[in-house]
């Protein structure tokens, strides 16, 4: 079965809610999160500090999921975070495993 990496840019205001959703989701067995700076977002969505710096403060979440679980997880995220300003993209995972 092929796997995908779902990358999500999340505004700080909804970070904890997104992480809680993923922790409770059977479709998100392994994920990471890290603070990041997002560039190229719409000017109106940035606060004054972000406008001066030219970047938005965000959390980047990466979730490794089976391709078969893609629609279920995206559906849950879209249902709970409509209008929250999340951005996402999906890339194939070429290889994965555990180094023991």
């Amino acid at each position: 079965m092929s796997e995908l990496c779902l990358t999500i840019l999340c505004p700080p205001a909804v970070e904890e809610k997104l992480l809680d959703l993923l922790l409770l989701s059977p479709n998100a067995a392994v994920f990471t999160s890290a603070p990041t700076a997002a560039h190229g977002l719409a000017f109106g969505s940035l606060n004054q500090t972000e406008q001066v710096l030219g970047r938005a403060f965000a959390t980047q979440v990466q979730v490794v999921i089976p391709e078969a679980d893609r629609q279920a997880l995206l559906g849950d995220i879209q249902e709970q975070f409509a209008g929250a300003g999340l951005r996402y993209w999906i890339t194939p995972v070429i290889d994965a495993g555990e180094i023991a």
Side-chain angles (χ1 to χ4, degrees):
M1 178 186 327
S2 60
E3 291 183 309
L4 302 171
C5 180
L6 169 62
T7 301
I8 305 167
L9 290 181
C10 173
V14 295
E15 172 187 356
E16 287 302 319
K17 185 177 176 183
L18 175 62
L19 296 179
D20 287 346
L21 179 143
L22 294 174
L23 284 167
L24 296 172
S25 174
N27 301 319
V30 176
F31 68 92
T32 62
S33 64
T36 193
H39 303 269
L41 300 177
F43 182 76
S45 65
L46 305 180
N47 66 36
Q48 288 181 337
T49 302
E50 293 170 328
Q51 291 175 22
V52 170
L53 294 173
R55 60 182 175 254
F57 303 114
T59 299
Q60 179 176 303
V61 178
Q62 292 188 301
V63 187
V64 176
I65 56 172
E67 190 170 5
D69 293 340
R70 171 187 177 178
Q71 291 303 327
L73 183 57
L74 279 177
D76 289 345
I77 292 169
Q78 290 170 340
E79 180 181 311
Q80 292 195 32
F81 294 93
L86 272 65
R87 298 185 60 91
Y88 77 93
W89 56 91
I90 297 175
T91 54
V93 174
I94 303 302
D95 194 13
E98 183 176 333
I99 307 298

